[in-house]
Amino acid sequence: GVTDRWYSQLCVSAIGRSIGATRLDSINWQNDYLLTQGQYPVDVALHTQLLRVLGEGHVLEFGSALQTDIGRTQLNLNLIFERKLSGPAAPTELKYQWQLRYRWQPWLNIGAQGFGELGPWDRFDAWANQSHRAGPAAFGRFDLERERALHWQAAFLRGKVYGRVGHMFTMQVKYAY
């Protein structure tokens, strides 16, 4: 984090039909700013992300990130607007992300994730053309020396992406210092 309220990260994303056919897809700069920090039942953050999608141009995401805890269970819901900044004019799209996470041990949390794209924010696409994926997820943290840690998460999501079958495996590893 840049401050105790501002989180920023730079990451790259790869995509492919198999490990051998994976290629670089985008470079992303994400910034989340906490508007609340525990004083209300739901914490609220402002999410922004600038993406450079290779072959397609620049995209801006912005929206809300909501989080609450019920005992050892964490619930997240993000409502994200997506606007293309280059290429042909296109309407602002609405996407969602949700996550359920049970904090069992620091090295292993279990839960589920879901993602979807609804289409233009002011008139959703027909259900058959929307994207919805969900599935089991696992998360964890390995503490290292001097307040450093290795965070990881993985999920297998089943569903559809713009009307086509869209099963996917996602994985993220982050070194926090």
Side-chain angles (χ1 to χ4, degrees):
V2 178
T3 70
D4 64 339
R5 288 185 173 265
W6 177 20
Y7 171 81
S8 184
Q9 76 175 359
L10 184 64
C11 63
V12 295
S13 177
I15 192 168
R17 292 188 170 274
S18 67
I19 295 286
T22 301
R23 62 175 171 73
L24 182 64
D25 180 60
S26 67
I27 301 169
N28 314 319
W29 181 32
Q30 177 179 330
N31 286 277
D32 292 334
Y33 187 79
L34 289 171
L35 301 174
T36 64
Q37 282 185 299
Q39 65 266 47
Y40 301 105
V42 176
D43 283 325
V44 179
L46 174 61
H47 164 83
T48 61
Q49 182 166 245
L50 181 62
L51 298 90
R52 170 68 171 110
V53 182
L54 302 180
E56 294 183 29
H58 293 86
V59 175
L60 176 65
E61 288 186 349
F62 59 94
S64 62
L66 309 171
Q67 178 176 304
T68 192
D69 293 308
I70 301 171
R72 296 175 80 171
T73 302
Q74 179 186 72
L75 304 165
N76 296 77
L77 176 64
N78 303 334
L79 299 173
I80 309 295
F81 295 94
E82 179 182 275
R83 180 79 178 160
K84 291 185 179 180
L85 300 176
S86 55
T92 300
E93 307 264 330
L94 180 61
K95 306 186 319 183
Y96 68 86
Q97 306 165 347
W98 61 266
Q99 178 175 285
L100 171 82
R101 178 177 184 162
Y102 178 75
R103 294 184 191 99
W104 180 57
Q105 297 289 327
W107 58 273
L108 179 62
N109 299 180
I110 55 173
Q113 290 181 338
F115 300 89
E117 294 82 25
L118 303 173
W121 74 275
D122 58 347
R123 53 175 172 75
F124 297 164
D125 287 339
W127 179 260
N129 297 329
Q130 294 178 10
S131 301
H132 304 280
R133 301 162 308 287
F139 318 84
R141 180 188 82 233
F142 295 103
D143 293 326
L144 305 172
E145 78 285 344
R146 296 188 303 262
E147 298 184 28
R148 295 183 172 136
L150 188 65
H151 297 260
W152 64 273
Q153 64 176 312
F156 180 71
L157 308 174
R158 297 176 55 97
K160 61 182 187 145
V161 177
Y162 302 113
R164 296 186 357 215
V165 172
H167 305 326
M168 59 184 58
F169 173 74
T170 66
M171 183 175 70
Q172 180 182 36
V173 177
K174 178 175 64 172
Y175 176 69
Y177 56 93

